[in-house]
Amino acid sequence: QLQLQQSGPGLVKPSETLSLTCNVSGDSISGGRFYWDWIRQTPGKGLEWIGSLTYGGATAYNPSLKGRVTISVDTSTNQFSLKLTSLSATDTAIYYCARLVLWTYQYDSWGQGTLVTVSS
Amino acid sequence: DIQMTQSPSSLSASVGDRVTITCRASETISNYLNWYQQRPGKAPKLLIYAVSSLQSGVPSRFSGSGSGTEFALTISNVQPEDFVTYYCHQSYTTPYTFGHGTRLEIK
């Protein structure tokens, strides 16, 4: 049974960097049938795609985040991570990791979500 | 970015009703349209993918239709557990985008 378990802080100070990790169990992150994504949700903007990690390690990011985002993978621990720099209050959101199924491109499994508040 | 306009933003219905939620894309997205259900405090759950394919384990009262830029999610015989929020999602091109949601409320 696939499980995506998120970890990371719930409170981060403005201008600092957010680091979240998604531990994948029940599937290999290196398998060739899925991408591994981060999505966030706010009451104002709704659901926003942050970026994707492909099985080959390539990445794609939302241009709206203006180069502040990095998604990386650790195949030895079957985890992938999100780093978002230069945080401001507008980055306050619930952050989700999710699995994207190729080639129909739907999210069939999600992490539990992490509420991240940016505040001093 | 492709804009996804979902309507209505809220919808009142009774148990047993048939309801339809629509989603319009700002440009054609082929069949890369998915629907999710979200309960309060929970992550979204996949209902329908590729316009009309029912995700495994999802009740058959949920169905999807449409093509090009106009899509719909229909719930026939609405059940008490269906009164939550629904989102459409285009995965035709990045940045992937979502509708702003439709909250289904009990009449």
Side-chain angles (χ1 to χ4, degrees):
Chain A
Q1 172 110 9
L2 179 73
Q3 281 197 320
L4 279 66
Q5 182 69 35
Q6 299 177 218
S7 59
L11 179 64
V12 188
K13 290 182 168 51
S15 80
E16 293 191 343
T17 296
L18 170 66
S19 294
L20 295 175
T21 296
C22 186
N23 182 69
V24 178
S25 58
D27 189 18
S28 170
I29 208 167
S30 303
R33 297 183 297 126
F34 307 103
Y35 288 173
W36 305 90
D37 285 21
W38 289 95
I39 297 148
R40 67 183 182 180
Q41 184 173 29
T42 61
K45 291 187 72 176
L47 290 157
E48 181 182 26
W49 175 75
I50 297 172
S52 284
L53 174 75
T54 74
Y55 52 84
T59 52
Y61 302 126
N62 195 323
S64 70
L65 293 169
K66 298 183 177 68
R68 298 190 294 128
V69 60
T70 303
I71 298 174
S72 59
V73 64
D74 185 341
T75 54
S76 66
T77 57
N78 217 40
Q79 295 178 335
F80 64 109
S81 299
L82 168 71
K83 283 195 190 313
L84 185 62
T85 63
S86 304
L87 291 175
S88 69
T90 58
D91 295 308
T92 294
I94 300 172
Y95 287 75
Y96 295 101
C97 58
R99 186 176 79 169
L100 184 73
V101 180
L102 307 178
W103 306 94
T104 40
Y105 297 97
Q106 71 273 13
Y107 294 112
D108 72 335
S109 188
W110 296 66
Q112 80 275 22
T114 301
L115 173 59
V116 175
T117 302
V118 181
S119 175
S120 54
Chain B
D1 300 2
I2 296 177
Q3 306 305 312
M4 303 301 291
T5 302
Q6 195 174 331
S7 61
S9 56
S10 64
L11 178 57
S12 293
S14 300
V15 173
D17 282 356
R18 176 186 174 95
V19 299
T20 296
I21 299 166
T22 63
C23 192
R24 174 179 294 172
S26 60
E27 56 188 89
T28 185
I29 56 172
S30 186
N31 67 335
Y32 294 96
L33 189 284
N34 311 304
W35 292 96
Y36 301 87
Q37 176 191 68
Q38 188 175 32
R39 301 187 183 283
K42 299 294 188 182
K45 171 191 170 185
L46 179 65
L47 297 176
I48 301 285
Y49 64 95
V51 178
S52 59
S53 295
L54 192 68
Q55 174 69 357
S56 175
V58 174
S60 59
R61 63 180 180 273
F62 292 92
S63 63
S65 62
S67 64
T69 61
E70 301 277 346
F71 303 91
L73 171 70
T74 297
I75 313 171
S76 58
N77 189 20
V78 172
Q79 294 299 295
E81 61 268 29
D82 299 338
F83 291 97
V84 290
T85 303
Y86 297 86
Y87 296 92
C88 60
H89 160 230
Q90 71 80 16
S91 54
Y92 177 69
T93 188
T94 60
Y96 304 137
T97 48
F98 295 81
H100 276 82
T102 295
R103 182 175 177 180
L104 182 57
E105 299 171 332
I106 300 176
K107 187 181 290 182

